[in-house]
């Protein structure tokens, strides 16, 4: 979804667009990594 709405035809493009997209992907990935770690920690402790 991020990839679709950040395309030039929908967002107007611009030099900051790729940075915003990368930032959002990093946020989502980071959140998911912490969720997975919490899940794994339940089995280790």
């Amino acid at each position: 979804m991020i990839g679709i709405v950040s395309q030039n035809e929908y967002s107007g493009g611009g030099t900051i667009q790729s940075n915003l997209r990368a930032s959002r992907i990093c946020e989502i990935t980071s959140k998911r990594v912490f969720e997975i770690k919490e899940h794994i920690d339940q089995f280790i402790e």
Side-chain angles (χ1 to χ4, degrees):
M1 184 67 165
I2 295 168
I4 293 171
V5 296
S6 65
Q7 291 176 356
N8 289 343
E9 60 197 66
Y10 301 113
S11 68
T15 56
I16 196 72
Q17 190 63 38
S18 62
N19 291 343
L20 294 174
R21 180 179 177 199
S23 174
R24 184 62 183 136
I25 291 171
C26 284
E27 289 174 16
I28 292 169
T29 302
S30 177
K31 180 181 175 193
R32 186 63 181 140
V33 166
F34 284 111
E35 290 172 353
I36 292 170
K37 184 185 179 311
E38 288 177 4
H39 181 73
I40 290 172
D41 286 347
Q42 292 175 352
F43 297 104
I44 293 174
E45 294 177 356

